[in-house]
Amino acid sequence: MVLSLFLSSLRLMFVLPKILWQFAGMKRAINKGKRKFRKSLIKNGIPKELAEELVKDYAVVDELLNIKGLLRIAKTTTSWHTEHNMPKPPKAR
């Protein structure tokens, strides 16, 4: 029993950094895409203020992948009383 618990925690120590590294890679790719999108909009004559608003709409996936959002989803799926812990749906823009 103790050995299986030890092996499970050891496995988690190896898997967790891999998951975090993949998460960081996704965030990096999203941020790079936002920068390129903003740069191309400004290059093609869109005002900077409008380009910023369009980039915010483009980054919906980035809002889904933030740490607080992931923790909130994990909390609601693991709770016994999920109807009380349901996250509010995002506001329409």
Side-chain angles (χ1 to χ4, degrees):
M1 167 110 173
V2 175
L3 181 64
S4 65
L5 182 63
F6 174 73
L7 291 176
S8 296
S9 61
L10 188 63
R11 182 172 180 251
L12 179 66
M13 288 177 21
F14 285 116
V15 171
L16 192 61
K18 179 182 175 185
I19 292 170
L20 292 174
W21 186 258
Q22 289 173 347
F23 180 75
M26 288 188 296
K27 292 288 283 185
R28 187 185 70 216
I30 290 169
N31 288 337
K32 184 177 179 182
K34 286 189 330 188
R35 284 192 304 270
K36 287 189 175 223
F37 184 58
R38 181 185 309 115
K39 194 177 204 178
S40 66
L41 286 174
I42 293 171
K43 184 179 177 182
N44 288 321
I46 303 288
K48 286 186 179 183
E49 296 81 19
L50 182 58
E52 288 296 327
E53 289 295 320
L54 291 172
V55 167
K56 285 180 186 176
D57 290 338
Y58 174 78
V60 173
V61 176
D62 191 30
E63 293 174 7
L64 295 175
L65 288 177
N66 65 10
I67 297 292
K68 288 182 183 177
L70 289 174
L71 290 175
R72 187 175 61 223
I73 290 170
K75 179 183 174 187
T76 60
T77 57
T78 58
S79 175
W80 288 96
H81 303 286
T82 55
E83 65 273 358
H84 299 293
N85 295 331
M86 292 302 290
K88 296 178 183 175
K91 294 180 181 177
R93 294 183 188 186

